[in-house]
Amino acid sequence: MEILWVLMALLMLSFALLPVLRRRRGMIERVHPGHPDAADPANYGFAREEELDIRMPGPDQDLLDVLDLVQRTQDYRAASQLLAGTETEGELRWQRVQAFAGAAALELQQRPGGVHETPGGQWLRVWRAEQPKDAGGAAVHAEFLVQQAWRTSTPGTDEFRIIMEEARDACGQAALLAPGDPVPHIVELSVARGLVYPQPEFEKLWLKILDRDPAHMGAHLAALHYWCEKWHGSRELAYSFAEAAAARAPQGSLLAAMPLFAVFEHLPEVNLVSSFYQSEVVTKAVHGALHAVHAARPDDPMTAHVRHLLVFFLVRAERWSEAMNQLIHVDGHVGALPWSLSPDPAAEFAVYRALAVAGYEANGGSPATLLS
C-alpha cells in the first residue's frame, strides 16, 4: 500500500478546488505525498496511512485478538467461543459475524487453493462440518456466502443466483438454530436485494427483524439498500424509510442518523459543487447524525459508522472543526462507509483527513487547540 506520509499544503487545499475533482460516490482523487508545506498526521495523534485498520469501523480488541488467533492457527474454536459469549441483542454480534465471514472470504480470495494448496478460509468449512448445530458458525457461513456472491459474481447471472439461493438456505438454517437472534434475518436482507424479493416478501422478512430488535441500526442500514433507487425502490422510498426510522428512534438510538445514509446512497456519480453539501437537506441530515452520536452510548459499536460518514459530509461542507472532532474518535479504523467503497480505503480516508487538517489549520486550528 502506498504510504501517505504527509498532508496537503494549506494554500493548495482551498476547498474551492473540490468541485472539479471527480470520483464515484463523491470521493476525492488522491493527492500524492511530498509537498514541502505538508504536516505530519502524527502531530494530531493520527495513525499513519499504513497503520490504518481496514477490517472494521472501530476498535473491538476481543474480535481482533480472536481473528488473529484463528487466522494464524486455522482453528475456529476461539471464534465459536466469542460468538457464543456475544449476546444476540444489540449490534455487536452482527458486526462480529460480518468480520469473521469477511476474513474467511478474503482468505479464500487470496488463496483459492489448488491441487497442492489448501484454500483459504478452511477454518470456516471445518467449523461447519464439526459443529453443524453451532448457531454462530451457521450465521457466519450464511454471511460468507452472501459476501462471496457479491465479490465473485455479477447480479443477474446464474452463478450469482446459485450462490444467493445457497445463502438463503443457510440463513434459514441459522435462524432455526437461534430463533431469537435477528442476525440470520439481517443476513437475508442482502439475499433479498440480490434475488429481487417482491416488496411484500421483503416486508415480511423485515417484520421478523423488527420483532426481534426494532432499533437495530445495522439491520436498518442493510434494509435501506433495498429501498434505494439503484436497487428496488426510489429516492423517495429510501428517504421515507430513513426518516420514519429516525422519527421512531428511541432515546440514545443512532437511528436518528439514518437520513444521512439515505442522502449518501443517492449522491450523483459526479461530484456536485460544495454548496450542495451545505444545502438544507444535507444540513438537516448532518445535524440529525451529530445529535445521534452525541446521545448514543459511548460503547455503541455503530457510532463509528455514523462518525465516519459524518467526516465525509463535514469535510465536503467545509465544517473543518467538526470534522476534526469526529476524526479524533475514529482515526485508526477505516472499515466503514464511505471508505470501504474505495479500492484503497486507507488512502481514501487519509485524503479526507488531510483536507480536514488543512481546513482546520487555515482557520487558526492547531494540535494544541484540538487536544485542549
Side-chain angles (χ1 to χ4, degrees), residues 341-362:
L341 296 177
S342 169
D344 192 342
E348 200 73 58
F349 173 82
V351 169
Y352 274 79
R353 185 176 63 183
L355 290 166
V357 169
Y360 180 67
E361 292 186 350

Side-chain angles (χ1 to χ4, degrees), residues 25 217 221 224 228 238-239 241-243 246 254-267 276-277 279-293 305-314 317 319 326 337-338:
R25 308 299 301 280
M217 179 70 173
L221 291 177
L224 176 65
C228 285
Y239 277 34
F241 175 80
E243 289 164 1
L254 288 163
L255 290 178
M258 284 297 299
L260 189 63
F261 286 87
V263 170
F264 178 77
E265 291 297 335
H266 292 87
L267 290 177
F276 167 77
Y277 295 91
S279 65
E280 181 179 356
V281 64
V282 174
T283 299
K284 182 180 178 181
V286 166
H287 285 171
L290 287 169
H291 171 75
V293 297
H305 286 273
V306 181
R307 291 191 188 277
H308 279 290
L309 198 61
L310 275 168
V311 170
F312 171 87
F313 278 99
L314 291 169
R319 296 166 64 168
Q326 299 305 317
L337 288 175

Side-chain angles (χ1 to χ4, degrees), residues 125-150:
R125 287 181 283 276
V126 174
W127 186 357
R128 291 298 294 134
E130 293 186 354
Q131 300 290 338
K133 301 299 183 183
D134 186 326
V140 172
H141 179 239
E143 173 65 16
F144 168 81
L145 290 170
V146 166
Q147 292 195 24
Q148 279 296 97
W150 293 110

Side-chain angles (χ1 to χ4, degrees), residues 9 30 45 52 58 99 176 181-182 186 208 215 221 229 248 275 294 338:
R30 190 175 184 195
L52 295 171
L176 289 174
D181 186 357
I186 298 173
K208 292 179 181 179
L221 291 177
E229 187 174 63
R248 67 171 182 270
S275 60
H294 178 74

Side-chain angles (χ1 to χ4, degrees), residues 55-340:
R55 294 174 293 180
M56 58 190 66
D60 183 347
Q61 194 58 50
D62 288 342
L63 174 60
L64 286 175
D65 292 343
V66 169
L67 267 176
D68 289 342
L69 178 62
V70 169
Q71 294 187 304
R72 186 175 69 253
T73 65
Q74 291 295 296
D75 188 333
Y76 69 86
R77 286 175 293 182
S80 176
Q81 292 169 3
L82 182 64
L83 286 181
T86 306
E87 59 187 10
T88 57
E89 295 182 0
E91 311 283 345
L92 193 59
R93 184 177 178 84
W94 167 231
Q95 290 203 16
R96 288 175 170 177
V97 165
Q98 285 184 301
F100 286 128
L106 183 58
E107 281 187 38
L108 182 58
Q109 179 182 345
Q110 294 172 340
R111 301 193 311 276
V115 177
H116 302 294
E117 182 185 28
T118 301
Q122 182 68 18
W123 54 269
L124 178 55
R125 287 181 283 276
V126 174
W127 186 357
R128 291 298 294 134
E130 293 186 354
Q131 300 290 338
K133 301 299 183 183
D134 186 326
V140 172
H141 179 239
E143 173 65 16
F144 168 81
L145 290 170
V146 166
Q147 292 195 24
Q148 279 296 97
W150 293 110
R151 284 171 183 259
T152 64
S153 54
T154 303
T157 63
D158 287 343
E159 180 185 8
F160 182 84
R161 178 183 54 79
I162 289 169
I163 301 174
M164 276 298 188
E165 288 179 350
E166 185 181 356
R168 178 167 55 187
D169 291 342
C171 289
Q173 296 170 16
L176 289 174
L177 292 172
D181 186 357
V183 168
H185 303 292
I186 298 173
V187 176
E188 192 179 351
L189 289 173
S190 188
V191 176
R193 178 162 52 98
L195 293 181
V196 197
Y197 281 21
Q199 288 189 8
E201 186 177 354
F202 182 86
E203 289 169 348
K204 182 179 179 181
L205 171 61
W206 181 240
L207 287 175
K208 292 179 181 179
I209 296 169
L210 293 182
D211 285 344
R212 289 160 176 81
D213 195 341
H216 199 290
M217 179 70 173
H220 280 79
L221 291 177
L224 176 65
H225 289 294
Y226 179 90
W227 296 114
C228 285
E229 187 174 63
K230 61 187 176 181
W231 289 107
H232 313 305
S234 65
R235 180 188 301 265
E236 292 73 21
L237 284 172
Y239 277 34
S240 177
F241 175 80
E243 289 164 1
R248 67 171 182 270
Q251 181 64 30
S253 169
L254 288 163
L255 290 178
M258 284 297 299
L260 189 63
F261 286 87
V263 170
F264 178 77
E265 291 297 335
H266 292 87
L267 290 177
E269 291 293 320
V270 177
N271 288 346
L272 297 175
V273 295
S274 59
S275 60
F276 167 77
Y277 295 91
Q278 299 164 354
S279 65
E280 181 179 356
V281 64
V282 174
T283 299
K284 182 180 178 181
V286 166
H287 285 171
L290 287 169
H291 171 75
V293 297
H294 178 74
R297 300 189 326 271
D299 62 343
D300 191 323
M302 291 303 294
T303 305
H305 286 273
V306 181
R307 291 191 188 277
H308 279 290
L309 198 61
L310 275 168
V311 170
F312 171 87
F313 278 99
L314 291 169
V315 167
R316 284 289 183 172
E318 304 179 30
R319 296 166 64 168
W320 314 116
S321 180
E322 291 170 290
M324 293 293 284
N325 286 333
Q326 299 305 317
L327 282 168
I328 61 176
H329 289 287
V330 298
D331 190 79
H333 300 271
V334 296
L337 288 175
W339 331 120
S340 57

